[in-house]
């Protein structure tokens, strides 16, 4: 920090990073407007917003909708982060956004969309999380969809 720099924050200060590390949803949502200084800050911001809203989705339709919207944004931007994530972790980590979005879509009976999210995760080489393999989830969504179609 320069003697003439009036800011008490270092030059590499990233408010987006500070927001996602805070785990405060209001701060994280506000930070969506800001440009991240560190390449992965926006990735983690979106990931943690999705995680936070996913856990509250059954308490509020607003949270479920916000989770869906943020997950869609996260997945639309994910390709720009995957090389950095591979470099950082040595391989792609389990990115729960696919799991969360597929779950939300299936809960609202959008099984084809849920299947597409799982196929995207498979194509990207995203390892499965706690919810089982993406291939198994696809089978479950297809079976559930067929049962609904054949209900009287």
């Amino acid at each position: 920090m320069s003697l003439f720099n009036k800011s008490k924050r270092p030059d590499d200060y990233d408010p987006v990073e500070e927001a996602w590390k805070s785990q405060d949803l209001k701060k994280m949502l506000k930070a969506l407007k800001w440009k991240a200084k560190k390449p992965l800050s926006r990735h983690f911001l979106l990931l943690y917003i999705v995680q936070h809203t996913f856990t509250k989705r059954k308490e509020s339709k607003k949270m479920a909708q916000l989770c869906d919207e943020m997950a869609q944004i996260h997945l639309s931007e994910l390709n720009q982060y995957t090389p950095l994530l591979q470099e950082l972790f040595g391989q792609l980590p389990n990115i729960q956004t696919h799991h969360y979005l597929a779950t939300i879509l299936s809960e609202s009976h959008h099984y084809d969309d849920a299947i597409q999210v799982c196929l995207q995760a498979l194509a990207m080489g995203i390892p499965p999380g706690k919810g089982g393999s993406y291939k198994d989830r696809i089978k479950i969504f297809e079976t559930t969809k067929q049962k609904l179609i054949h209900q009287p």
Side-chain angles (χ1 to χ4, degrees):
M1 182 163 48
S2 162
L3 187 60
F4 300 103
N5 185 350
K6 294 182 183 189
S7 170
K8 294 185 182 186
R9 295 185 174 165
D11 291 336
D12 67 343
Y13 170 74
D14 186 349
V16 176
E17 178 183 36
E18 183 178 293
W20 71 259
K21 284 183 174 181
S22 77
Q23 297 294 300
D24 180 308
L25 184 59
K26 286 182 182 178
K27 286 181 183 178
M28 291 190 289
L29 292 172
K30 186 176 179 182
L32 287 168
K33 304 183 274 191
W34 305 331
K35 182 162 176 52
K37 283 190 176 181
K38 297 179 181 176
L40 288 176
S41 287
R42 181 159 169 91
H43 159 71
F44 287 113
L45 177 70
L46 290 166
L47 178 65
Y48 288 120
I49 290 172
V50 170
Q51 286 179 345
H52 185 83
T53 54
F54 182 80
T55 61
K56 298 195 180 299
R57 75 191 187 283
K58 292 191 178 185
E59 297 171 22
S60 156
K61 284 186 180 185
K62 181 180 175 183
M63 284 293 162
Q65 182 180 1
L66 185 58
C67 183
D68 184 321
E69 290 172 15
M70 293 296 108
Q72 298 280 357
I73 292 169
H74 190 211
L75 294 185
S76 74
E77 296 178 7
L78 195 55
N79 282 332
Q80 65 187 316
Y81 308 124
T82 53
L84 295 168
L85 291 166
Q86 282 180 307
E87 186 179 318
L88 181 65
F89 295 106
Q91 63 182 22
L92 274 180
N94 172 25
I95 300 167
Q96 287 289 309
T97 303
H98 293 90
H99 170 79
Y100 295 145
L101 182 57
T103 300
I104 284 181
L105 291 167
S106 70
E107 288 173 348
S108 58
H109 306 290
H110 293 103
Y111 298 107
D112 290 333
D113 294 334
I115 290 167
Q116 288 305 310
V117 169
C118 292
L119 289 170
Q120 179 190 19
L122 285 169
M124 292 180 76
I126 304 292
K130 310 176 245 188
S133 77
Y134 288 108
K135 288 181 183 179
D136 290 343
R137 296 194 85 208
I138 289 169
K139 287 178 191 172
I140 291 167
F141 297 147
E142 287 173 342
T143 302
T144 306
K145 178 183 163 186
Q146 289 304 314
K147 286 179 184 176
L148 288 175
I149 291 171
H150 298 296
Q151 277 185 345

